[in-house]
Amino acid sequence: MTERTLILVKPDGVARGLVGEVLRRIERKGYKLVALDLRQIDRATAERHYAEHHDKAFFSDLVDFITSGPLVAGVVEGDDVIVAWRTMMGATNPVSAAPGTIRGDLATQMQLNVAHGSDSVLSAQREIGIFFPDL
Ligand code: IDP
Ligand code: MG
């Protein structure tokens, strides 16, 4: 089924010059970029985006990190893209992310794991609404 998901190249990925690498994987796979923007987000936006993690011990570190520099936000469209993009990113912890995945190939630390992707149709709608309210 054709779906849309929110993708982020997080501030670590932008700082390391990995925007092209991440977008290349999306385009080669055959997905379509329907929105793309380089921006730095404020704490209120970060807290909304990561609201599900509000009570976790790492929440304030996560908000510090995601607001620390520019990120690339995008909306990607394609067949079953929500699950497929999460497969392409690999496990949240790069230590256990499979080789061939973004996190498996490009990252070593849980927080600095380069990319984000929505985890369900509902999260995708919610997150796209936060980053691209006009879509
Ligand atoms: P996801 O990005 O694979 O969906 P989530 O569990 O939603 O993973 O966590 C959101 C982000 O928070 C992760 O991508 C990672 O950057 C960070 N994170 C998750 N768990 C931890 C942790 O235990 N310590 C530090 N950062 C974490
Ligand atoms: Mg998540």
Side-chain angles (χ1 to χ4, degrees):
M1 198 180 69
T2 302
E3 298 173 338
R4 287 183 172 186
T5 193
L6 181 84
I7 67 107
L8 299 177
V9 184
K10 296 184 186 182
D12 59 322
V14 174
R16 290 172 59 204
L18 296 173
V19 174
E21 168 71 32
V22 173
L23 298 182
R24 173 177 163 272
R25 291 175 184 234
I26 292 169
E27 292 190 309
R28 281 203 311 169
K29 176 80 174 175
Y31 292 135
K32 182 177 161 191
L33 284 162
V34 297
L36 193 65
D37 190 44
L38 178 80
R39 67 174 81 158
Q40 189 158 355
I41 62 171
D42 61 19
R43 294 190 73 85
T45 304
E47 287 173 5
R48 260 180 89 198
H49 173 66
Y50 281 127
E52 67 179 296
H53 298 305
H54 189 269
D55 297 331
K56 308 258 172 71
F58 60 82
F59 183 70
S60 66
D61 276 355
L62 180 58
V63 172
D64 286 347
F65 160 63
I66 205 76
T67 58
S68 66
L71 54 72
V72 168
V75 176
V76 176
E77 184 179 277
D79 295 330
D80 299 303
V81 69
I82 295 171
V83 168
W85 174 243
R86 291 193 61 91
T87 303
M88 290 166 68
M89 288 196 301
T92 303
N93 189 344
V95 171
S96 43
T101 65
I102 289 167
R103 289 158 169 177
D105 288 350
L106 305 174
T108 62
Q109 294 175 38
M110 182 79 115
Q111 182 177 271
L112 307 179
N113 61 3
V114 181
H116 168 84
S118 311
D119 64 9
S120 67
V121 173
L122 228 68
S123 321
Q125 286 170 352
R126 193 184 71 83
E127 294 173 0
I128 290 168
I130 293 171
F131 280 83
F132 297 98
D134 295 339
L135 275 188

